[in-house]
Amino acid sequence: MCGIVTAIARRNIVPVLIEGLRKLEYRGYDSAGLAVLKTEGAPQLQRLRAVGRVDALAAQADATGLAASIGIAHTRWATHGVPSERNAHPHISDGLAVVHNGIIENFEELRSGLQAKGYVFTSETDTEAIAHLLHDKLKTIPDLFDAVRATIAELIGAYAIGVLSETDPNRAIVARKGSPLLLGIGEDGHYAASDTAALLQVTRKVVYLEDGDVAELTLDGYRVTLLDGTPVERPVNISSLSADAVELGKYRHYMQKEIFEQPHALASTLEMIGGGGSISPQLFGAPALEVFGATRRVLILACGTSYHAGLVARYWIEAVAKLPCSVEIASEYRYRESVPDPETLVVVISQSGETADTLAALKFAKSLGMTKTLAICNVPESAIVRETALRFVTRAGPEIGVASTKAFTTQLAALALLTLTLAKINGHLSEAEEAAHLTALRHLPIAVAKVVELEPEIERWAQRFASKHHALFLGRGEHYPIALEGALKLKEISYIHAEAYPAGELKHGPLALVDKEMPVIAVAPADSLLEKLKSNLQEVKARGGELYVFADAGSEMPESEGVHILHLPEHYGMLSPILHVIPLQLLSYHAALVKGTDVDKPRNLAKSVTVE
């Protein structure tokens, strides 16, 4: 959601700003803008804004020949006010320009007070209140850095901001609370952005700002202080990402690239179990043995696709580790009264590690005295990872497509390791069982690679979906959450309305929807529930529904009129959900291609949901 790029350098930074915004497009946005300071003669702000894609902003910059050595840029995902040029960032107040990610909860109160002082608002955004408030502070606090600190002290909510001023043309000021922001240390200047990917074009040296940090960027250096002005040192990190990692390469879309990257992502995530003969709690951090040994139940908090990963893990944890497990949508958990239990392991799952609702739910659980916390996350330096006692960092690599694919399967791999670790510590995993599970995990990337090879047949199935308006997904047991994930993927990128149900619930309502225009997609592994599922599918067939069944090899499910069967190469036991979700990802991807939707940037959605 939204993205910020800030730069001050001994070069024309306009191309840097625009390329940085392009690398942040995956976050989701509806408009883009930039502001630079022209320093020939008297410093002067120049602003460009455009509704739609960054390309439209780039065209404006090219047409005007815009060039400067200091500037800020932004992609906006609408919260306050419709997508429009007047609501696009940066927002200006008499020589000041501000970009902002997040939501200011007290903006109406600030707006009223500023209007009473004579400030005129030209947008519907909360951000414009920041610009005018800063301008007002500068009347009594002449130093820009100090005025920014005084301004953000009055803000309630979440923010990452970047500031330029005509009266102080040799530095940019940035600050964060609740929204991610990092600094880039370049050879020719200094930078800031919402995401490392935006800065790989100029540097791999990054400094991750903490909540409450305020930073000043100049040509020759930077400084960071707390809100009260106390200087702080934040470590310089060398990003492991490369510019190539976020390039599209030979693929048509990032989503396709990331589906095909899953064998490698899983191999990287599972690399730490190597050739060893046992699973170590140390995979989750030094205190893990003690924490897991005192765990009597598990609470999983997550949103969206990560929530579906948690639902799969509930089946695993209760069946294998023999621990009670509950899974909650993070945005709901934090707003209801629950019964805290200090013997609960709180597991938070997030691809970005900055998901606002999940982070807030984690802090809420900790405030209730549940301090046994574990993060499963793809970004090692993220806020959620820093907030937990234990962590497992997946190695999916950067995921650009809004619809999560490889992040999901690597989360499941991490949750499988957690399940086996808890089972072992609690005496529910024999040496023979541990060895068998380790063998299956090591073979998993190969098994996934074989499933990806089914793409041509799935592509043919997808041709039938382009004209459909609705779809029904069915699954049983730990594959019911996989049906949920399949329905979510189809909705996200093809805009076909889809619902998922446990197959046994068909008779309790969903069967009323079934007719020849309602395709029914079934996840049908060769497990103990297969015969039950076959009976459910007969109910669909008897009512004229058209079935698309993802079955395992040897499941003895023949094709017939209106019944299409795709056999996966092998049955994979406990890890079967990881294999079965991949054909659903491919089905959604190819259905979206047929419909001509924007696969990587679906309408109204953002990759990283950093506001509530």
Side-chain angles (χ1 to χ4, degrees):
M1 271 189 182
C2 300
I4 287 174
V5 185
T6 300
I8 177 170
R10 295 178 179 88
R11 64 156 90 180
N12 177 17
I13 51 80
V14 173
V16 175
L17 295 176
I18 289 174
E19 182 60 22
L21 292 184
R22 286 196 172 106
K23 290 297 185 286
L24 296 178
E25 285 187 302
Y26 75 93
R27 297 169 69 90
Y29 70 105
D30 47 58
S31 57
L34 61 82
V36 299
L37 277 171
K38 302 288 287 184
T39 54
E40 298 84 0
Q44 182 180 6
L45 273 175
Q46 289 188 272
R47 176 177 62 171
L48 300 177
R49 297 185 292 178
V51 177
R53 296 302 182 207
V54 171
D55 286 346
L57 181 69
Q60 285 191 41
D62 289 343
T64 58
L66 191 66
S69 60
I70 181 172
I72 54 178
H74 189 267
T75 52
R76 176 178 186 257
W77 193 84
T79 54
H80 296 78
V82 300
S84 65
E85 184 174 325
R86 67 190 179 90
N87 286 329
H89 299 211
H91 288 284
I92 287 178
S93 183
D94 191 20
L96 281 171
V98 174
V99 292
H100 162 235
N101 294 350
I103 291 180
I104 304 306
E105 296 174 7
N106 62 330
F107 87 99
E108 290 181 332
E109 175 187 339
L110 294 173
R111 187 181 182 109
S112 295
L114 290 162
Q115 285 174 327
K117 291 182 177 182
Y119 285 93
V120 176
F121 284 74
T122 60
S123 78
E124 303 164 82
T125 69
D126 51 346
T127 305
E128 192 176 3
I130 302 175
H132 292 320
L133 180 61
L134 175 57
H135 183 272
D136 190 55
K137 292 294 182 188
L138 281 166
K139 294 175 181 176
T140 54
I141 307 173
D143 182 79
L144 181 64
F145 190 85
D146 293 338
V148 169
R149 290 194 297 108
T151 298
I152 61 179
E154 294 191 23
L155 305 181
I156 298 174
Y159 59 78
I161 64 170
V163 176
L164 292 183
S165 173
E166 289 178 347
T167 61
D168 203 339
N170 297 315
R171 59 178 174 168
I173 312 298
V174 298
R176 71 153 288 186
K177 178 187 173 185
S179 290
L181 196 66
L182 55 92
L183 309 182
I185 314 304
E187 293 183 358
D188 63 350
H190 293 85
Y191 307 85
S194 304
D195 192 309
T196 308
L199 300 184
L200 291 176
Q201 57 177 316
V202 289
T203 185
R204 290 176 58 202
K205 292 182 180 180
V206 295
V207 174
Y208 295 95
L209 298 181
E210 301 283 348
D211 269 3
D213 283 355
V214 187
E216 169 193 271
L217 304 178
T218 66
L219 280 175
D220 299 316
Y222 69 95
R223 66 175 171 127
V224 182
T225 78
L226 302 179
L227 183 58
D228 64 5
T230 303
V232 290
E233 294 289 333
R234 302 296 182 210
V236 177
N237 300 272
I238 305 300
S239 174
S240 59
L241 295 178
S242 67
D244 290 343
V246 292
E247 295 298 330
L248 191 56
K250 65 181 181 180
Y251 297 97
R252 296 177 64 179
H253 299 89
Y254 281 104
M255 183 178 180
Q256 184 188 33
K257 176 176 184 273
E258 288 152 12
I259 291 172
F260 275 79
E261 286 176 340
Q262 285 175 111
H264 176 73
L266 286 163
S268 298
T269 298
L270 296 169
E271 183 180 18
M272 60 280 293
I273 63 173
S278 64
I279 295 170
S280 169
Q282 302 299 314
L283 294 171
F284 299 89
L289 179 60
E290 179 183 355
V291 171
F292 291 167
T295 293
R296 297 294 171 262
R297 56 195 50 82
V298 178
L299 169 64
I300 298 175
L301 302 171
C303 300
T305 286
S306 296
Y307 170 70
H308 295 158
L311 291 177
V312 173
R314 178 176 62 186
Y315 287 93
W316 291 346
I317 290 168
E318 295 201 342
V320 180
K322 310 300 181 187
L323 289 173
C325 178
S326 58
V327 187
E328 300 243 14
I329 295 172
S331 58
E332 290 294 314
Y333 170 76
R334 59 186 287 214
Y335 290 119
R336 73 173 186 84
E337 291 189 22
S338 58
V339 181
D341 183 345
E343 294 184 321
T344 295
L345 175 67
V346 179
V347 181
V348 286
I349 311 172
S350 169
Q351 187 281 137
S352 68
E354 305 289 348
T355 309
D357 286 316
T358 306
L359 181 59
L362 168 63
K363 292 178 177 178
F364 178 66
K366 289 170 67 176
S367 75
L368 297 178
M370 295 192 288
T371 57
K372 296 180 175 66
T373 55
L374 164 67
I376 293 176
C377 181
N378 194 39
V379 182
E381 307 88 358
S382 61
I384 283 175
V385 169
R386 295 197 301 268
E387 279 282 339
T388 53
L390 305 174
R391 73 270 310 162
F392 186 101
V393 178
T394 58
R395 298 181 183 178
E399 189 179 67
I400 306 301
V402 166
S404 181
T405 52
K406 62 178 180 173
F408 178 68
T409 49
T410 52
Q411 286 170 355
L412 288 177
L415 289 163
L417 285 172
L418 174 63
T419 298
L420 298 174
T421 303
L422 292 171
K424 183 177 180 179
I425 288 174
N426 287 284
H428 298 300
L429 191 70
S430 69
E431 288 186 11
E433 290 170 330
E434 182 178 6
H437 282 297
L438 282 171
T439 298
L441 283 165
R442 291 178 185 129
H443 181 66
L444 183 61
I446 297 172
V448 167
K450 292 179 181 177
V451 177
V452 171
E453 292 173 1
L454 298 172
E455 184 185 31
E457 191 167 349
I458 295 169
E459 186 175 0
R460 288 192 291 272
W461 278 17
Q463 298 290 332
R464 296 171 170 267
F465 279 77
S467 61
K468 303 300 181 183
H469 299 287
H470 309 278
L472 188 63
F473 286 71
L474 301 176
R476 297 206 72 148
E478 64 264 41
H479 293 84
Y480 163 53
I482 297 305
L484 286 168
E485 177 63 12
L488 177 61
K489 286 290 157 286
L490 194 65
K491 281 183 282 196
E492 283 180 312
I493 62 169
S494 75
Y495 315 145
I496 295 172
H497 172 246
E499 303 230 20
Y501 284 89
E505 284 292 292
L506 265 177
K507 294 185 287 291
H508 299 281
L511 202 56
L513 297 172
V514 172
D515 60 20
K516 61 183 177 62
E517 293 301 320
M518 170 75 83
V520 178
I521 300 95
V523 183
D527 59 15
S528 61
L529 290 171
L530 180 59
E531 295 306 317
K532 297 284 188 185
L533 179 62
K534 286 180 179 179
S535 297
N536 302 139
L537 300 186
Q538 288 297 326
E539 295 170 344
V540 172
K541 185 179 178 182
R543 286 153 180 84
E546 189 165 18
L547 283 162
Y548 296 84
V549 183
F550 293 99
D552 287 338
S555 61
E556 298 181 357
M557 296 185 69
E559 286 203 348
S560 60
E561 181 68 27
V563 180
H564 312 281
I565 309 291
L566 183 66
H567 288 98
L568 275 63
E570 56 187 305
H571 176 57
Y572 221 68
M574 170 181 152
L575 300 175
S576 172
I578 297 176
L579 269 64
H580 272 273
V581 77
I582 291 164
L584 302 183
Q585 295 170 350
L586 286 166
L587 181 65
S588 298
Y589 171 70
H590 284 288
L593 285 189
V594 174
K595 292 200 68 177
T597 60
D598 192 337
V599 172
D600 288 332
K601 297 183 282 290
R603 67 189 183 201
N604 304 333
L605 297 181
K607 178 67 175 176
S608 182
V609 185
T610 55
V611 298
E612 183 180 351

PDB file of all heavy atoms in Angstrom, residues 93-105:
ATOM      1  N   SER A  93       2.298  22.937   0.787  1.00  0.00           N
ATOM      2  CA  SER A  93       1.833  24.073   1.582  1.00  0.00           C
ATOM      3  C   SER A  93       2.881  25.173   1.496  1.00  0.00           C
ATOM      4  O   SER A  93       3.872  25.158   2.230  1.00  0.00           O
ATOM      5  CB  SER A  93       1.604  23.652   3.044  1.00  0.00           C
ATOM      6  OG  SER A  93       1.096  24.742   3.801  1.00  0.00           O
ATOM      7  N   ASP A  94       2.710  26.078   0.532  1.00  0.00           N
ATOM      8  CA  ASP A  94       3.543  27.275   0.399  1.00  0.00           C
ATOM      9  C   ASP A  94       5.042  26.961   0.495  1.00  0.00           C
ATOM     10  O   ASP A  94       5.729  27.388   1.417  1.00  0.00           O
ATOM     11  CB  ASP A  94       3.155  28.304   1.466  1.00  0.00           C
ATOM     12  CG  ASP A  94       3.803  29.668   1.205  1.00  0.00           C
ATOM     13  OD1 ASP A  94       4.208  29.917   0.051  1.00  0.00           O
ATOM     14  OD2 ASP A  94       3.929  30.443   2.161  1.00  0.00           O
ATOM     15  N   GLY A  95       5.535  26.188  -0.485  1.00  0.00           N
ATOM     16  CA  GLY A  95       6.967  25.906  -0.533  1.00  0.00           C
ATOM     17  C   GLY A  95       7.397  24.640   0.155  1.00  0.00           C
ATOM     18  O   GLY A  95       8.583  24.279   0.129  1.00  0.00           O
ATOM     19  N   LEU A  96       6.457  23.967   0.783  1.00  0.00           N
ATOM     20  CA  LEU A  96       6.718  22.674   1.425  1.00  0.00           C
ATOM     21  C   LEU A  96       6.048  21.569   0.628  1.00  0.00           C
ATOM     22  O   LEU A  96       4.920  21.743   0.153  1.00  0.00           O
ATOM     23  CB  LEU A  96       6.119  22.624   2.835  1.00  0.00           C
ATOM     24  CG  LEU A  96       6.851  23.292   3.989  1.00  0.00           C
ATOM     25  CD1 LEU A  96       5.931  23.279   5.199  1.00  0.00           C
ATOM     26  CD2 LEU A  96       8.141  22.549   4.305  1.00  0.00           C
ATOM     27  N   ALA A  97       6.691  20.423   0.508  1.00  0.00           N
ATOM     28  CA  ALA A  97       6.064  19.264  -0.129  1.00  0.00           C
ATOM     29  C   ALA A  97       6.185  18.064   0.802  1.00  0.00           C
ATOM     30  O   ALA A  97       7.240  17.837   1.408  1.00  0.00           O
ATOM     31  CB  ALA A  97       6.729  18.956  -1.463  1.00  0.00           C
ATOM     32  N   VAL A  98       5.102  17.301   0.900  1.00  0.00           N
ATOM     33  CA  VAL A  98       5.051  16.154   1.809  1.00  0.00           C
ATOM     34  C   VAL A  98       4.466  14.949   1.087  1.00  0.00           C
ATOM     35  O   VAL A  98       3.453  15.076   0.376  1.00  0.00           O
ATOM     36  CB  VAL A  98       4.188  16.459   3.063  1.00  0.00           C
ATOM     37  CG1 VAL A  98       4.028  15.218   3.935  1.00  0.00           C
ATOM     38  CG2 VAL A  98       4.810  17.595   3.875  1.00  0.00           C
ATOM     39  N   VAL A  99       5.093  13.788   1.248  1.00  0.00           N
ATOM     40  CA  VAL A  99       4.492  12.510   0.865  1.00  0.00           C
ATOM     41  C   VAL A  99       4.291  11.698   2.130  1.00  0.00           C
ATOM     42  O   VAL A  99       5.031  11.844   3.104  1.00  0.00           O
ATOM     43  CB  VAL A  99       5.369  11.731  -0.147  1.00  0.00           C
ATOM     44  CG1 VAL A  99       5.414  12.445  -1.475  1.00  0.00           C
ATOM     45  CG2 VAL A  99       6.776  11.507   0.397  1.00  0.00           C
ATOM     46  N   HIS A 100       3.284  10.812   2.095  1.00  0.00           N
ATOM     47  CA  HIS A 100       2.896  10.129   3.337  1.00  0.00           C
ATOM     48  C   HIS A 100       2.280   8.775   3.032  1.00  0.00           C
ATOM     49  O   HIS A 100       1.406   8.664   2.167  1.00  0.00           O
ATOM     50  CB  HIS A 100       1.886  11.027   4.087  1.00  0.00           C
ATOM     51  CG  HIS A 100       1.075  10.321   5.128  1.00  0.00           C
ATOM     52  ND1 HIS A 100      -0.310  10.342   5.135  1.00  0.00           N
ATOM     53  CD2 HIS A 100       1.440   9.562   6.187  1.00  0.00           C
ATOM     54  CE1 HIS A 100      -0.759   9.639   6.161  1.00  0.00           C
ATOM     55  NE2 HIS A 100       0.274   9.142   6.808  1.00  0.00           N
ATOM     56  N   ASN A 101       2.736   7.750   3.724  1.00  0.00           N
ATOM     57  CA  ASN A 101       2.059   6.450   3.781  1.00  0.00           C
ATOM     58  C   ASN A 101       1.416   6.307   5.149  1.00  0.00           C
ATOM     59  O   ASN A 101       1.973   6.764   6.144  1.00  0.00           O
ATOM     60  CB  ASN A 101       3.049   5.293   3.607  1.00  0.00           C
ATOM     61  CG  ASN A 101       3.672   5.250   2.240  1.00  0.00           C
ATOM     62  OD1 ASN A 101       3.254   5.962   1.332  1.00  0.00           O
ATOM     63  ND2 ASN A 101       4.677   4.412   2.084  1.00  0.00           N
ATOM     64  N   GLY A 102       0.277   5.620   5.204  1.00  0.00           N
ATOM     65  CA  GLY A 102      -0.384   5.390   6.490  1.00  0.00           C
ATOM     66  C   GLY A 102      -1.700   6.125   6.576  1.00  0.00           C
ATOM     67  O   GLY A 102      -2.218   6.651   5.587  1.00  0.00           O
ATOM     68  N   ILE A 103      -2.231   6.188   7.781  1.00  0.00           N
ATOM     69  CA  ILE A 103      -3.502   6.877   8.028  1.00  0.00           C
ATOM     70  C   ILE A 103      -3.369   7.720   9.291  1.00  0.00           C
ATOM     71  O   ILE A 103      -2.952   7.217  10.347  1.00  0.00           O
ATOM     72  CB  ILE A 103      -4.662   5.871   8.191  1.00  0.00           C
ATOM     73  CG1 ILE A 103      -4.973   5.189   6.851  1.00  0.00           C
ATOM     74  CG2 ILE A 103      -5.906   6.560   8.734  1.00  0.00           C
ATOM     75  CD1 ILE A 103      -6.095   4.181   6.919  1.00  0.00           C
ATOM     76  N   ILE A 104      -3.700   9.000   9.184  1.00  0.00           N
ATOM     77  CA  ILE A 104      -3.702   9.895  10.337  1.00  0.00           C
ATOM     78  C   ILE A 104      -5.116   9.921  10.905  1.00  0.00           C
ATOM     79  O   ILE A 104      -6.046  10.432  10.270  1.00  0.00           O
ATOM     80  CB  ILE A 104      -3.239  11.311   9.936  1.00  0.00           C
ATOM     81  CG1 ILE A 104      -1.864  11.246   9.275  1.00  0.00           C
ATOM     82  CG2 ILE A 104      -3.223  12.220  11.161  1.00  0.00           C
ATOM     83  CD1 ILE A 104      -0.798  10.550  10.087  1.00  0.00           C
ATOM     84  N   GLU A 105      -5.276   9.367  12.078  1.00  0.00           N
ATOM     85  CA  GLU A 105      -6.618   9.183  12.641  1.00  0.00           C
ATOM     86  C   GLU A 105      -7.234  10.478  13.137  1.00  0.00           C
ATOM     87  O   GLU A 105      -8.461  10.599  13.194  1.00  0.00           O
ATOM     88  CB  GLU A 105      -6.552   8.148  13.764  1.00  0.00           C
ATOM     89  CG  GLU A 105      -6.135   6.757  13.284  1.00  0.00           C
ATOM     90  CD  GLU A 105      -5.926   5.782  14.427  1.00  0.00           C
ATOM     91  OE1 GLU A 105      -6.241   6.148  15.586  1.00  0.00           O
ATOM     92  OE2 GLU A 105      -5.450   4.664  14.173  1.00  0.00           O
TER      93      GLU A 105
END
